[in-house]
Amino acid sequence: MPEQKIYLIGAGIAGWEGFGAKALEVIGNAEVLIGHQRHLDNFPEFSGEKRPLEDLSIMLDYLKTTD
C-alpha cells in the first residue's frame, strides 16, 4: 500500500481569508476534504471528494478503507 498523508488544517471564522498559503496549497492538492459543511462550502471549486465530518469511528473506518 502506498504511503498516504493526512493533513489537519484548522479553519477559523474568517473563512477563505483565514487560510495561509501552505494550507491552500495542501487543500488544492488533496484528493479528499473532510470537515463541517460550512468549511467544505468555502471550496466550491474543489474537484476531489468532499465528506462531511461524521462520528470519529465512522471517519476512521472510512480512512482505513480508502486507497
Side-chain angles (χ1 to χ4, degrees), residues 6-50:
I6 297 173
Y7 293 90
L8 177 62
I9 299 173
I13 60 172
W16 179 265
E17 296 81 22
F19 293 102
K22 181 63 178 176
L24 293 173
E25 177 185 342
V26 168
I27 292 167
N29 291 322
E31 294 177 20
V32 179
L33 289 182
I34 299 172
H36 290 283
Q37 191 61 51
R38 68 183 174 94
H39 295 131
L40 297 175
D41 290 344
N42 284 316
F43 302 96
E45 305 291 321
F46 182 73
S47 62
E49 180 183 356
K50 293 183 186 178

